[in-house]
Amino acid sequence: MIEALRTPEERFENLPGYAFRAHYLTHDNGLRMHYLDEGKHGGKTFLCLHGQPTWSYLYRRMIPLLTAAGHRVVAPDLFGFGKSDKPRDEAVYSFDFHRDSLIALVRGLNLHDVVLVVQDWGGLLGLTIPKKMPERFVGLVVMNTTLATGDQPLTQGFLDWRAWNNKNPDMAIAKLMKRSCPHLTDAEAAAYDAPYPDASYKAGVRRFPNLVADSPDAPGAENARRARDFWMNDWKGTSLMAIGMTDPVLGPPVMQALHRQIKNCPAPLELADAGHFVQEWGERVAEAALARF
């Protein structure tokens, strides 16, 4: 069994905009994954995947619009994030560890008619999943993210972010979110710190930038290349791309390249005032998704 920390539940009390019921799935490795499961089971299922350093709180602006339209929303917290268990050992956190846990969630909940909603690491991981089980996925909503294929140079913006991340092992997450999303209230920004009583809970947060494939033989790179081929040649679903235009790391140039790799993806929704964490401007994305699907 994997040694892990579990954030005390009182840390999550009275978070603004997050009055959702908690659900948990215990995986074969003994770790407990938290997920939100809102709305009706009769429509499509929007599977909403977050990245670093966020958690399912990031989707609180989108969930009410999607469920009000008659759809189901499932939003997990990756291991090391949110209300999910947090392995102490950074070496536990690998590309395959995270990807396998998401595949297990999809299978464990037996999700079908899925619209995959991804951003940041939610995309690096999530975009590799439909090729494994294409019969379950009917749509894609993709926000600032990429496929880490290892055969393209990493951008300077990402290299700078990785260097900063490695110099700040106890990342001040609330300050980062407030700087990236100036419209957040202090209480909303603080909610992003809720899962982490101290730095020992942040092993998963620290690990992610160093998992991005930077060579063709890096872990996850082959999976990403196969996913690229799938999205370019075999994808049969409906897609929507939304771009936070002020993102310095995974902004317009990266997203335009990804757009060319998604078959039949229409012109992107460009959010001029949005940054990397597009879901914090997510009402417009949810409205566009409902119109599209």
Side-chain angles (χ1 to χ4, degrees), residues 98-156:
H98 283 299
R99 181 174 184 268
D100 290 347
S101 72
L102 290 173
I103 291 172
L105 179 80
V106 172
R107 287 176 170 162
L109 299 183
N110 194 26
L111 302 182
H112 288 278
D113 294 318
V114 176
V115 177
L116 180 65
V117 185
V118 298
Q119 176 263 343
D120 192 78
W121 264 98
L124 274 77
L125 295 165
L127 290 173
T128 71
I129 294 175
K131 69 180 178 60
K132 187 175 182 66
M133 45 182 71
E135 71 282 357
R136 294 180 184 266
F137 290 86
V138 299
L140 171 69
V141 178
V142 57
M143 297 165 279
N144 296 37
T145 189
T146 190
L147 278 166
T149 56
D151 56 3
Q152 298 293 325
L154 300 177
T155 66
Q156 188 60 48

Side-chain angles (χ1 to χ4, degrees), residues 22 39 61 94 143 219 234 245 277:
R61 300 184 191 273
S94 67
M143 297 165 279
D234 300 324
M245 299 297 286
F277 303 100

